[in-house]
Every structure is written in C-alpha cells, then in structure tokens.
Amino acid sequence: MDGRGESHDVYFDFGSSQLEDVGYLFQTEEAFQSRQDVETFVRYVGKKYNIGIIILNSKGGVGNGSGDAYVYFACERSSNYRKNKDKGSESGVKKLMSRLSEDEKIKTKEMTRAHMTPSQILISIKNENKDNLTTMKQMYNYRQKIRKEEMEGRSVVQQLLSHLSKKSYFYSYRDSPTTNMVTDLFFANKKAVQLLYRFYYVLMMDCTYKTNKYKMPLFEIVGCVPTGIFFVIAMVFLQDEKKIVLNGLFNV
C-alpha cells in the first residue's frame, strides 16, 4: 500500500511512508451494517495489535446525513495527527479569546442573579463583543463556578435555608430523627403573608408531583384579591401527602 488502504468506503491513514504499513491487519470481507459497527471493528483490531486509533474526519453514517458516508481512521502517531497536535499556539490563542473578561464575568453574575438563561447571557455578551469566542459549555461551567462560590461549602439545603433567611421569608422544617435529613420544608414570603391578612376570603391549595429532582410533592397555597389576581402565599416540600404530615403542616 502507499500509506492508505481502502475497503467499503472506509479509509485508514497510516501516516508517512517511513512508518510500518499495517493496513493488512484491517482487511476484511465483512459488510458492515452501520458506522458504529465499523468503528467497533477498527478499534478492536487496533487494541489487539496495540495500535491507537483516532478519527481524522467523517461524514454521515450516524443517522443524521444523506448521500455517501465515509470515515477516515488514523494511527494516533500518524504525521497528520501530530501536525494537528503541534498547533498549540493557535489553539492557545483561541482558548484565550474564548475566556470571559472581568467585565463579562461581572455581567454574567448580575444576569444570573436576575434569572436570565445561559443562552440569553451569552447572546448579550457576544452582541457587545463580536470577537468573543465563549461557548455555551464554558458559560454553563462559569455559572456552576458562581454557584459554588456563593454556597461557600454549604450543602444545597443549607444554602436554601440561608437564602430564605436573607430574603426575610417565614420558614420552618422538620427532619428525620434517624438520618437528620430534611423531610418537610415550609416557607412563605412576608409580603404575601401581609397580603393574606387583608384578603383571606379565598384560599386554594394543591399538590404537584415530579416538579423537582428530589421527587418530593410540592404543596402550594394561593390566595386571591378582589380584582381576581392570584398570589402565592406559601409553598411546602412534603415527604408525602399523608394525613399526619398535612396536620403537622397546618400546626406550623
């Protein structure tokens, strides 16, 4: 071979002519049904003979394309792969340009606290800085970093209780005597409670399910003013809807 073997529109690139030609190891009469089958076969042979396999280029074959499909495989020590690895300075510049500036970090924190979505934040930043190369993944990572900094080592429940205290909420919780885990949590906004004292004629209560990752029922109490506008009075995370739990809730 001259450095490239061909079988069923699958190409193997073995780099420079100075390297040993091992293309014969990958020759087969098998007809593959999918691209995944091809990759499985190539990687199996590579592992068997201690050859590191990488994909240089591909098109189609994974259910999202049409027309001819192909996959270019290469040894991880091939010349083309090493050339790409040596482009460190170029990738380093791109990585540097994708970082958020200090002003952009401040803006991200402010917009995060304003409950803006990551996509909205990223669009706003890119509109102000056309050269910004920050990706959505980097935005998610930075927002996660913000959360960790704000939690200051506290657990999720500790952070929630701290937030309720800072925002002047009425709250109360019960925990399990054996595990010390919170089983029920009641919280109400003070302004909503003040509004309840004036408009207490109509109260609606309902419980929703599977609205949080803890799979705890969420009990909601809603009031109504004479103009027909509803307002949330309180919300409760419950371990379940048993009578004893609900009785304990209204004795808070």
Side-chain angles (χ1 to χ4, degrees):
M1 293 184 182
D2 59 353
R4 174 172 293 176
E6 178 176 346
S7 176
H8 302 293
D9 293 329
V10 180
Y11 302 87
F12 305 96
D13 190 346
F14 305 106
S16 66
S17 58
Q18 296 178 351
L19 299 179
E20 180 181 357
D21 183 3
V22 294
Y24 66 93
L25 298 174
F26 297 88
Q27 291 182 346
T28 178
E29 297 297 327
E30 182 180 356
F32 301 105
Q33 300 299 318
S34 66
R35 170 178 163 177
Q36 184 62 43
D37 293 340
V38 177
E39 292 185 23
T40 301
F41 167 78
V42 173
R43 295 190 186 281
Y44 169 78
V45 175
K47 183 177 181 180
K48 182 178 180 180
Y49 294 96
N50 295 320
I51 301 173
I53 301 296
I54 54 98
I55 297 177
L56 284 181
N57 195 8
S58 65
K59 174 185 176 182
V62 290
N64 58 356
S66 58
D68 295 333
Y70 63 81
V71 183
Y72 287 94
F73 295 99
C75 170
E76 65 178 1
R77 305 301 299 177
S78 70
S79 58
N80 289 339
Y81 180 68
R82 299 311 304 174
K83 287 178 182 179
N84 292 333
K85 292 281 287 184
D86 291 337
K87 295 180 180 179
S89 58
E90 181 179 348
S91 62
V93 172
K94 184 175 181 179
K95 184 176 181 180
L96 182 63
M97 294 180 66
S98 66
R99 294 176 180 172
L100 293 170
S101 66
E102 291 303 318
D103 290 339
E104 290 170 343
K105 289 180 179 179
I106 294 174
K107 181 173 183 176
T108 300
K109 290 181 179 180
E110 292 175 346
M111 296 184 71
T112 297
R113 294 190 182 103
H115 307 291
M116 305 293 286
T117 64
S119 59
Q120 291 173 326
I121 297 174
L122 191 58
I123 290 174
S124 177
I125 290 175
K126 289 183 178 292
N127 285 338
E128 293 183 0
N129 181 9
K130 301 298 183 181
D131 296 327
N132 183 283
L133 299 178
T134 302
T135 64
M136 185 61 69
K137 181 179 179 180
Q138 290 172 315
M139 177 59 66
Y140 275 106
N141 290 342
Y142 185 66
R143 279 167 57 97
Q144 184 64 26
K145 182 180 179 181
I146 294 174
R147 294 191 187 97
K148 288 184 178 181
E149 291 176 351
E150 292 179 343
M151 292 178 71
E152 298 178 345
R154 294 185 289 265
S155 67
V156 175
V157 174
Q158 290 172 333
Q159 176 68 5
L160 174 58
L161 296 179
S162 174
H163 180 78
L164 293 175
S165 179
K166 289 179 181 179
K167 298 298 182 180
S168 300
Y169 274 73
F170 294 114
Y171 70 91
S172 179
Y173 65 90
R174 295 186 301 190
D175 55 10
S176 170
T178 56
T179 63
N180 291 326
M181 295 181 62
V182 174
T183 57
D184 306 282
L185 173 63
F186 168 93
F187 55 97
N189 187 282
K190 288 186 177 181
K191 292 183 178 180
V193 174
Q194 292 172 357
L195 196 59
L196 172 63
Y197 283 135
R198 300 185 60 184
F199 307 106
Y200 51 84
Y201 306 103
V202 179
L203 289 179
M204 290 175 286
M205 306 177 192
D206 195 14
C207 206
T208 58
Y209 302 87
K210 298 181 180 180
T211 57
N212 55 85
K213 69 177 184 179
Y214 302 106
K215 307 301 181 182
M216 297 179 68
L218 180 62
F219 191 84
E220 190 173 14
I221 306 174
V222 178
C224 181
V225 299
T227 57
I229 298 177
F230 297 95
F231 63 97
V232 177
I233 301 170
M235 304 184 79
V236 192
F237 285 108
L238 301 169
Q239 56 181 324
D240 53 51
E241 275 193 296
K242 292 181 180 178
K243 182 177 180 180
I244 186 173
V245 174
L246 294 177
N247 287 340
L249 164 64
F250 292 108
N251 287 330
V252 173

